[in-house]
Amino acid sequence: RGLEGHRVEAQTRWDARRQDVAKQEGLVLEELQRCFVVAASKAQQKQLQADEDDMGRLVEHHVAELKRLLEEFRAGFQARIDEGRLELGGGVDMSAELASQKEYMDAKEALDTDLRGLEGHRVEAQARWNTRRQDVAEQERLVLEELRSCFVVAVREAIRKRIDAILDTKEFLRNCDALVESFTELEQLVGGGSDVLADVVERVKARVDELQSDSEIQSLIAAKNYSKLLFNLKTLRAMATALQDWVALDTDNIQTETTRHVQILLGEAEREVQSGVDHPDFLVFTSVQDLMRLMPLLEKAFLGKMEAVMESLKVRAQDAIQQCLSEARERLTVARSDGMTTEAEETVARMLIKGYAVAVELGVTDRYKRWMEKSLLEKMADDVQHLVGASIMQKTLDKEEPVATAARGILTMFPAFATFSIELFNAKAGSVSFASALATMECRPTRPFNDNLATVFEAYNEVYSAEVNKIIQGLRAYPKGELRQRVVALATELAPHAGQLNQHCAKFGLLFGLVASAWTYLSCLGKPHLSERKKVLQPHNTQILGVCRLLGLDEAALENHLIQINTGEGKSVALGFTAVLLSLLGFSVDVVCYSPYLSARDHQQFAELFRFFKVKSFIFYSDFFRLSGHIMRSGVDTPDILNTFDQFLRQKTTASGDTAPKSLVATALLSLKNLGKCPSPPPVRRKVLLLDEVDVFFSDEFYGAPYTPLQLLKVKAGGAKPGFNLLLHVWQRRGSLSKSKQSVAVLREHMLTKQLLSKFPNLAFLLEAELYRILDSVSQFPAGRAPRFRSGEDAYTLDAARGTIVYTDPRTHVPTEKLSYGYVTAFTYFYECDRGKFPPATFREAGQSSSKIGVLPVCGALSYSEIPRLYAFALGMTGTLDCLTEKQNALLKEYFFERRTFLPSTFFGKKSLNADRGEKKETKVVRGTRDDYFLALKDEMAEAVKEGRAVLMVFADLKGLQDYNYELHRYGGVDFPRYAAPQLLTDELDNGKRNNVVIKAIRPYTITLMTRAYGRGTDFKCDDPGLVKDGGAHVIITFFPEDDSEEKQILGRTCRQDDPGSARKIIFEEDIKPLGASEKRFSAQEKPWDEYLAECRAGTHERRMVAMDAAHENVMARHNATLKACEAAEQRQWEEAARLFKEASLKSPAVQGVEDDEESSDSD
């Protein structure tokens, strides 16, 4: 009964499970019929599989249980039989036991029958289950087919909708890439010959035809939206090429119409440049402006054919101006006694203005200036020049803004009209009196209470006013020789007291006044009509005050001193006067700027004055890194480490007490022979360092950076070239060499190395380290594979004809032949020769004479940061003294810059950002993709351009500028009729082109993209009254400046003098991460972006300064080791010198590069 109960219970559970399975099957079928996703069907399958496993386990459990019970029953029954057998032997009755045995057999048979029945049920269930699984699989297949069909339909419709959206949008042509991608996807989905694809093709054709329809083209031309027309042409042609596998787009209509209207525009431009002087529209040059504004797009649309058009236009303009010149010379007459301009002078003025405007548009201002001066102005009488200038001056008030702008520009360009330009500037400046500037000046520490500066100015003003009156009364009769003599006499008298001028204020005031008078006199040469002081070039009161403070006229003695003078207010003029006065007082002056371009510009401004007082040889203008290289190589203020190291390498090790080398003995004998025959050398001048901006002190290229010269080992001309040949040997066997002791040992024993040691015996001390450097460099050129260049090493171009490699300077981004990366450069020559870039003969000839291929040991290191300590005094002027960090101020104190002065503005009512006419807009940080960031920049730019303003966009580096310019061209710029492609201001331009870009930058609707270096010192002058009326220049900064000083300098490119302007920073979120900033952290606090990023920058700046301090400590250790090495070499202590040179060269990684301005190594 128990067994039967178990069987019945098992059957009941089995039936219940079968019912559950049936229900599950029904649910699965229902779900499949509703086309549920494949994932649901798989889930059901897994559930059914689990049920099957449960059922199988249940049956197996009951079978095992029945077997166990049967075994127990059998064992018990067997025990009873055995027991009965024992009792049988004793006469026990066994009939009852036999009955039990029969009962057992019957039960066993019934149980076996049940087991067979259960097994049958299990097999039947398994068969039905397998059938159902096959049914489910079939249903799943049908569902998948249905789903795929639905998916194809859905995707096809989605692609069609996407294409429809692209075709319907106004930005259709800007989405060519997306259209090509959609066509590719659609073709893969439905095949090339489907009706769906054919329908889409027809839609695209219709949209393209619509864009190049006559009505669309005419509407763009009527609105003078030539930029959009050219963009449509360029993009439609690109689209036709991209979609040619699917659709044949006909762009002939827009090509024909655009060409026709460009020719019309060109004809109008030619008529404008050729219009006669008497033509009523002579001063109209809008078509020339439109044509030049579109030139970048024209060049892209017409594939370089515009170059010939441009040259043709320039020739026509030149011919037209030549004709005007002929007419003007015929009409010019001697000025009337009443000084009023005649029709002839008016004609010449109009002609000059027109020519200037066209020259600016065509980018030939330098050529135009030279030509006009030679062909007209030099042949024009002085009084006629003056009348022409007066006529041009009147045009600065013209209601036509382009005419007024051109008139202001031409007054600035030609020295003959400088008096009028000066008058315009003096009208802005000079309103602040010396007494007012003195009263509002701030000094730290507080200056002594005395009247010294007032005394200086009183003497200055008295003599300067008297001299200027003489200049105005008769320039030709002005006693310049007498002035020079007075200056020399005063300077000679004051020179012994140059360090304590506070005791000689009146005399210094006289000296300063005479020097300023000479400057004014020189600026007036060629300008005879000087009736008033306001028409002459003169220093202004804040500049005079700055010079006097810098030279310590109100202090106990001359000391290191920094002065803040606002951007755009004549810092270069004040520094020029300071340099002249110091040189006259017996000093040698180095004037240092961060930019080679600005340094050359400032030097040119004072070059005539330097020559006038014959102090040119005592004043050196340079950028800091050129000056540093000059000082380090000169061997005057620092050890001559190149020659000392060369002498060290060539000497053999000798015992102490040996006689001096023959060359030194000969030198000594020659000196004795000439003793008494040579005049006494001139007294050594004390040196003064004049700084134009102090930011260079905080650069990691200065503080903590080493000057690490490479000494190319040379032998006599015509001799063996073991250095070149050794490197060639290493190159050819680089596959078998490695950076190992074994390879070093092999090279050490090589014949070429021994030849080298025979010429340079002491190289043996450094040979192992040098061979390791050679092997390390050649390991970057694995045989048969591309080189593994490090940072900057792959930035080069080839000059195959000369057999040279020219690197791009990582600081200036300008190609230079003076940059080398040591042995990597040498092996780069071999690499390019193997690639066939250099003819072998040319390469071998150039290579053997090259200063870059040979054994190049590092001869120690000198610290750039020690250069200011080489000067008796360091003085400077900067626009950012009030925004230095605590660390930066501490660093300046290390150079003894304790004295500081903050000057007021030269311009009364000077406007700055956040003032009435200046606006510093809220900083914007853009999240998302680079495309989102590009669009944010483009929108900010477009908003300002549409307001008629000039836009200056400042980028962190050249790559960022080029990327933005590319995207802007790709998207067609700004959809605005007056839009012109941006002009670029980078170090790659020569001076002429750079000046032309600067001239054109501050004009309405003009966009200029520039690198951050031009955010400092570049003088963007606003000569356009219309631009002032529309808000001035708008500066967009695309990165967060490195510090407050840089930010102030960049913001100083707008709101210059008293002009209006605005600025805004727009930064990509990824670019603020190096500061430790993020959108998430910003959102968690309440400060605005500027304040939050400034805090993040402060932390980054702190870490950077700590790293610079560590680098400086390392470099100073190498610096001191180099000095000791030179001293040991001079004393012929060769082993000690070798140890110190090695220590100085190996304290940091190998040299990356070195500039060589001198021919220190002509051959190996």
Side-chain angles (χ1 to χ4, degrees):
R1 285 195 299 274
L3 289 172
E4 179 64 17
H6 281 297
R7 187 189 67 77
V8 171
E9 181 182 355
Q11 183 66 44
T12 301
R13 294 182 65 186
W14 176 255
D15 291 341
R17 177 57 61 194
R18 285 202 304 173
Q19 292 175 0
D20 290 342
V21 169
K23 289 180 181 179
Q24 292 292 339
E25 290 174 353
L27 291 174
V28 170
L29 289 174
E30 182 179 352
E31 293 300 314
L32 290 173
Q33 289 170 356
R34 293 179 187 177
C35 298
F36 269 107
V37 294
V38 177
S41 130
K42 289 184 178 180
Q44 291 293 337
Q45 184 176 352
K46 288 181 180 180
Q47 182 63 44
L48 293 174
Q49 184 64 48
D51 291 342
E52 178 188 9
D53 294 342
D54 289 345
M55 222 177 305
R57 283 194 296 272
L58 183 61
V59 171
E60 290 174 359
H61 170 73
H62 285 296
V63 170
E65 185 67 18
L66 289 171
K67 287 182 177 180
R68 186 183 64 77
L69 293 173
L70 179 61
E71 190 63 33
E72 288 179 357
F73 184 81
R74 181 185 297 163
F77 186 73
Q78 186 64 42
R80 290 176 65 187
I81 290 175
D82 294 342
E83 183 182 349
R85 285 174 179 168
L86 292 174
E87 292 179 357
L88 183 61
V92 180
D93 186 5
M94 295 295 296
S95 58
E97 295 298 331
L98 291 173
S100 296
Q101 184 176 9
K102 183 177 183 303
E103 180 184 352
Y104 163 73
M105 296 303 295
D106 292 342
K108 179 178 180 301
E109 183 179 354
L111 183 60
D112 290 341
T113 302
D114 288 342
L115 288 173
R116 287 193 296 273
L118 286 172
E119 180 65 20
H121 280 299
R122 190 188 69 77
V123 171
E124 180 184 355
Q126 183 67 44
R128 293 184 62 191
W129 177 253
N130 291 338
T131 302
R132 177 54 58 200
R133 281 175 52 176
Q134 292 174 358
D135 292 343
V136 169
E138 178 64 18
Q139 290 291 337
E140 184 178 319
R141 185 184 64 78
L142 293 175
V143 168
L144 286 174
E145 288 184 358
E146 183 64 25
L147 286 175
R148 185 181 184 284
S149 176
C150 293
F151 174 76
V152 169
V153 172
V155 172
R156 183 184 66 199
E157 291 304 312
I159 294 174
R160 285 192 58 167
K161 288 180 180 178
R162 188 198 310 164
I163 293 175
D164 289 344
I166 293 172
L167 296 176
D168 290 339
T169 182
K170 292 181 179 179
E171 305 295 319
F172 158 57
L173 292 179
R174 306 182 196 274
N175 293 292
C176 182
D177 293 341
L179 197 61
V180 172
E181 182 181 348
S182 299
F183 264 91
T184 304
E185 292 176 359
L186 190 60
E187 184 181 41
Q188 292 173 350
L189 196 66
V190 301
S194 70
D195 294 338
V196 175
L197 188 61
D199 179 59
V200 171
V201 165
E202 290 304 317
R203 285 218 57 199
V204 172
K205 283 184 175 180
R207 187 72 172 94
V208 169
D209 289 342
E210 179 184 339
L211 284 173
Q212 61 174 337
S213 65
D214 291 340
S215 59
E216 176 72 12
I217 293 172
Q218 291 302 326
S219 67
L220 292 175
I221 292 172
K224 286 196 171 184
N225 199 345
Y226 298 112
S227 58
K228 187 173 182 181
L229 177 64
L230 289 168
F231 174 73
N232 287 356
L233 168 62
K234 178 177 72 76
T235 311
L236 282 175
R237 288 199 312 205
M239 185 176 290
T241 302
L243 298 179
Q244 61 185 352
D245 293 339
W246 301 284
V247 54
L249 296 178
D250 183 4
T251 59
D252 288 346
N253 188 51
I254 191 169
Q255 174 76 41
T256 302
E257 288 297 307
T258 302
T259 302
R260 185 169 68 86
H261 284 285
V262 167
Q263 290 174 343
I264 292 173
L265 181 62
L266 179 60
E268 292 174 353
E270 290 177 348
R271 280 193 294 275
E272 285 180 357
V273 300
Q274 291 177 316
S275 60
V277 179
D278 298 326
H279 195 280
D281 292 333
F282 176 70
L283 290 180
V284 175
F285 35 85
T286 53
S287 295
V288 176
Q289 290 179 319
D290 288 340
L291 187 66
M292 296 310 302
R293 184 164 47 83
L294 299 172
M295 192 53 61
L297 285 174
L298 285 169
E299 289 174 349
K300 291 179 181 295
F302 292 95
L303 304 177
K305 296 179 181 179
M306 294 306 297
E307 184 175 349
V309 172
M310 276 295 301
E311 286 304 316
S312 172
L313 186 60
K314 289 178 183 179
V315 170
R316 292 178 184 273
Q318 183 172 328
D319 292 343
I321 294 173
Q322 183 65 49
Q323 179 64 32
C324 290
L325 278 171
S326 300
E327 294 181 17
R329 281 195 292 264
E330 292 176 2
R331 298 184 186 188
L332 283 174
T333 59
V334 178
R336 295 200 300 251
S337 58
D338 58 6
M340 299 298 291
T341 57
T342 66
E343 182 181 350
E345 284 83 33
E346 175 72 18
T347 299
V348 175
R350 286 160 55 84
M351 182 270 297
L352 285 170
I353 292 171
K354 175 65 170 287
Y356 172 83
V358 172
V360 169
E361 294 299 338
L362 299 182
V364 292
T365 50
D366 288 348
R367 189 194 309 177
Y368 174 75
K369 179 183 178 183
R370 291 192 301 270
W371 186 38
M372 295 305 293
E373 285 180 335
K374 183 176 180 180
S375 302
L376 180 65
L377 297 177
E378 291 179 0
K379 301 176 181 179
M380 192 183 293
D382 291 342
D383 50 357
V384 177
Q385 275 189 11
H386 178 72
L387 292 175
V388 171
S391 185
I392 296 173
M393 185 73 171
Q394 288 296 319
K395 295 295 182 184
T396 62
L397 306 175
D398 199 290
K399 293 181 180 180
E400 294 293 331
E401 291 168 2
V403 174
T405 300
R408 289 171 180 266
I410 205 167
L411 291 179
T412 303
M413 170 178 280
F414 292 104
F417 306 131
T419 54
F420 299 99
S421 175
I422 291 168
E423 184 177 350
L424 288 174
F425 176 78
N426 288 343
K428 281 187 174 183
S431 55
V432 176
S433 67
F434 186 87
S436 174
L438 182 60
T440 56
M441 172 181 68
E442 181 184 351
C443 302
R444 300 175 190 170
T446 304
R447 72 186 187 92
F449 180 76
N450 56 50
D451 295 328
N452 288 14
L453 296 180
T455 302
V456 172
F457 183 73
E458 183 179 354
Y460 165 90
N461 195 45
E462 181 180 352
V463 69
Y464 181 72
S465 298
E467 295 301 317
V468 168
N469 287 335
K470 293 179 185 177
I471 293 171
I472 293 173
Q473 290 169 7
L475 186 63
R476 292 179 179 175
Y478 182 75
K480 62 180 181 180
E482 179 184 336
L483 179 142
R484 186 187 295 114
Q485 290 175 0
R486 292 173 66 190
V487 166
V488 171
L490 275 170
T492 303
E493 184 179 351
L494 288 173
H497 314 287
Q500 293 180 314
L501 291 171
N502 61 319
Q503 301 297 320
H504 307 274
C505 294
K507 287 185 178 179
F508 178 81
L510 291 175
L511 177 65
F512 192 179
L514 291 172
V515 169
S517 301
W519 184 60
T520 299
Y521 163 74
L522 293 172
S523 69
C524 292
L525 292 177
K527 313 174 188 66
H529 291 274
L530 303 169
S531 56
E532 301 174 86
R533 180 170 172 173
K534 68 179 181 179
K535 294 185 178 183
V536 301
L537 191 63
Q538 53 193 296
H540 292 287
N541 293 325
T542 50
Q543 295 167 339
I544 298 167
L545 179 59
V547 173
C548 294
R549 275 290 294 165
L550 209 56
L551 296 180
L553 267 298
D554 59 341
E555 301 284 352
L558 179 63
E559 294 179 7
N560 290 6
H561 193 160
L562 292 175
I563 289 183
Q564 175 169 294
I565 185 168
N566 291 333
T567 55
E569 299 196 3
K571 172 161 47 70
S572 60
V573 172
L575 285 172
F577 277 119
T578 305
V580 173
L581 289 166
L582 285 169
S583 64
L584 288 169
L585 293 171
F587 291 97
S588 176
V589 185
D590 289 335
V591 187
V592 184
C593 180
Y594 55 85
S595 164
Y597 161 66
L598 297 176
S599 179
R601 182 201 68 183
D602 295 346
H603 177 267
Q604 184 62 31
Q605 189 176 11
F606 272 81
E608 284 296 323
L609 190 63
F610 299 157
R611 284 190 285 268
F612 183 80
F613 288 120
K614 300 179 181 179
V615 294
K616 181 181 178 182
S617 58
F618 307 127
I619 300 174
F620 179 62
Y621 272 73
S622 174
D623 65 281
F624 191 84
F625 293 99
R626 183 175 163 219
L627 172 70
S628 301
H630 173 74
I631 290 174
M632 295 300 192
R633 285 188 298 271
S634 67
V636 176
D637 299 296
T638 58
D640 188 356
I641 56 176
L642 287 172
N643 288 332
T644 302
F645 187 67
D646 184 70
Q647 183 184 24
F648 157 73
L649 292 177
R650 292 177 185 274
Q651 298 299 322
K652 296 181 179 179
T653 305
T654 57
S656 59
D658 280 2
T659 58
K662 182 177 179 181
S663 59
L664 297 180
V665 174
T667 303
L669 290 174
L670 183 62
S671 299
L672 290 171
K673 181 179 179 181
N674 293 328
L675 189 61
K677 295 183 179 180
C678 299
S680 300
V684 177
R685 287 175 168 249
R686 288 187 296 172
K687 299 184 66 175
V688 176
L689 179 66
L690 273 187
L691 296 166
D692 184 345
E693 299 297 343
V694 297
D695 304 55
V696 68
F697 283 103
F698 318 125
S699 164
D700 50 14
E701 294 176 333
F702 167 77
Y703 188 72
Y707 169 74
T708 48
L710 301 174
Q711 175 66 26
L712 181 71
L713 303 189
K714 302 178 291 184
V715 295
K716 293 181 180 179
K721 305 288 191 298
F724 178 89
N725 293 330
L726 178 61
L727 292 189
L728 180 59
H729 170 77
V730 171
W731 174 259
Q732 292 172 342
R733 289 160 181 77
R734 65 189 184 280
S736 61
L737 297 172
S738 62
K739 293 183 291 183
S740 64
K741 291 183 178 180
Q742 292 81 359
S743 294
V744 169
V746 169
L747 291 179
R748 180 188 285 273
E749 297 303 318
H750 196 275
M751 175 187 65
L752 294 170
T753 306
K754 292 181 178 179
Q755 289 179 8
L756 201 61
L757 290 173
S758 68
K759 298 293 182 181
F760 304 96
N762 280 352
L763 180 61
F765 291 114
L766 310 173
L767 184 61
E768 182 175 344
E770 209 56 40
L771 292 176
Y772 267 115
R773 288 183 59 222
I774 292 173
L775 292 170
D776 177 64
S777 297
V778 81
S779 69
Q780 294 180 225
F781 297 84
R785 297 202 300 271
R788 297 190 292 265
F789 287 121
R790 294 162 187 157
S791 177
E793 294 172 349
D794 58 346
Y796 64 83
T797 56
L798 307 176
D799 186 341
R802 297 172 55 208
T804 59
I805 286 175
V806 180
Y807 285 99
T808 298
D809 190 321
R811 290 185 291 108
T812 64
H813 306 289
V814 174
T816 174
E817 294 186 8
K818 299 175 183 177
L819 186 63
S820 169
Y821 290 89
Y823 292 119
V824 171
T825 296
F827 290 126
T828 303
Y829 274 92
F830 292 124
Y831 170 72
E832 294 295 350
C833 184
D834 285 357
R835 294 175 65 203
K837 301 298 183 180
F838 292 135
T842 303
F843 167 69
R844 181 167 288 274
E845 180 181 351
Q848 297 231 19
S849 63
S850 172
S851 63
K852 299 178 182 178
I853 306 180
V855 175
L856 297 158
V858 180
C859 32
L862 296 176
S863 174
Y864 281 124
S865 62
E866 290 302 290
I867 289 177
R869 304 186 197 279
L870 303 175
Y871 291 85
F873 303 102
L875 311 172
M877 289 190 172
T878 178
T880 58
L881 199 56
D882 59 351
C883 53
L884 301 181
T885 66
E886 183 179 345
K887 279 280 188 181
Q888 290 172 334
N889 279 309
L891 182 57
L892 288 178
K893 286 184 178 180
E894 288 186 21
Y895 293 99
F896 308 106
F897 284 111
E898 299 285 351
R899 191 181 294 172
R900 310 199 182 173
T901 299
F902 299 83
L903 295 177
S905 174
T906 298
F907 300 92
F908 181 76
K910 157 87 174 179
K911 303 298 187 297
S912 60
L913 293 178
N914 291 330
D916 296 340
R917 302 179 71 184
E919 179 186 4
K920 184 178 178 182
K921 297 184 177 181
E922 182 181 355
T923 295
K924 180 177 182 180
V925 175
V926 180
R927 301 182 66 185
T929 65
R930 285 281 175 186
D931 283 343
D932 297 326
Y933 178 54
F934 159 74
L935 291 174
L937 290 175
K938 177 171 170 281
D939 290 344
E940 181 76 12
M941 179 192 76
E943 181 182 349
V945 169
K946 290 178 180 179
E947 293 173 355
R949 303 177 64 187
V951 177
L952 303 175
M953 297 190 71
V954 188
F955 293 84
D957 52 41
L958 185 62
K959 183 180 183 303
L961 182 152
Q962 291 171 337
D963 289 346
Y964 178 78
N965 191 44
Y966 168 78
E967 291 295 327
L968 197 60
H969 280 304
R970 188 167 72 88
Y971 280 88
V974 179
D975 188 7
F976 179 63
R978 296 293 300 273
Y979 168 74
Q983 54 175 6
L984 309 183
L985 182 57
T986 68
D987 287 330
E988 296 174 320
L989 302 176
D990 59 41
N991 283 340
K993 291 181 179 178
R994 188 185 292 117
N995 291 335
N996 203 70
V997 169
V998 172
I999 289 172
K1000 294 174 68 174
I1002 308 300
R1003 296 170 57 185
Y1005 309 104
T1006 301
I1007 303 164
T1008 303
L1009 313 183
M1010 61 186 185
T1011 49
R1012 68 198 307 169
Y1014 291 93
R1016 299 166 175 263
T1018 310
D1019 194 6
F1020 294 104
K1021 294 180 180 178
C1022 180
D1023 291 325
D1024 194 302
L1027 180 60
V1028 173
K1029 181 179 65 178
D1030 290 332
H1034 180 54
V1035 174
I1036 302 174
I1037 308 174
T1038 65
F1039 59 96
F1040 200 69
E1042 198 170 78
D1043 51 34
D1044 287 340
S1045 299
E1046 182 180 31
E1047 181 170 340
K1048 185 176 182 180
Q1049 286 283 355
I1050 295 174
L1051 296 179
R1053 297 318 100 197
T1054 187
C1055 286
R1056 294 181 71 78
Q1057 299 175 5
D1058 62 346
D1059 293 329
S1062 60
R1064 187 178 196 181
K1065 293 190 286 292
I1066 301 181
I1067 310 166
F1068 188 43
E1069 186 183 17
E1070 288 294 316
D1071 295 339
I1072 65 173
K1073 289 183 178 179
L1075 300 174
S1078 68
E1079 173 75 28
K1080 184 177 180 180
R1081 293 191 183 100
F1082 169 74
S1083 301
Q1085 51 91 59
E1086 298 180 353
K1087 296 172 183 175
W1089 270 115
D1090 257 338
E1091 191 174 342
Y1092 167 66
L1093 290 176
E1095 287 184 359
C1096 295
R1097 178 176 63 191
T1100 303
H1101 182 268
E1102 181 78 18
R1103 292 189 292 274
R1104 176 169 162 264
M1105 292 300 292
V1106 169
M1108 287 169 61
D1109 285 338
H1112 179 254
E1113 184 177 349
N1114 172 274
V1115 170
M1116 284 307 300
R1118 299 175 63 196
H1119 176 92
N1120 293 329
T1122 302
L1123 298 183
K1124 292 177 182 178
C1126 291
E1127 184 178 349
E1130 289 172 357
Q1131 297 175 2
R1132 301 175 60 77
Q1133 298 173 0
W1134 305 128
E1135 291 189 12
E1136 178 66 7
R1139 182 187 69 78
L1140 290 167
F1141 273 126
K1142 188 173 181 180
E1143 178 184 346
S1145 301
L1146 298 181
K1147 273 189 173 288
S1148 70
V1151 161
Q1152 282 192 334
V1154 60
E1155 285 193 23
D1156 187 8
D1157 283 346
E1158 299 174 358
E1159 295 181 0
S1160 60
S1161 49
D1162 296 330
S1163 63
D1164 192 348

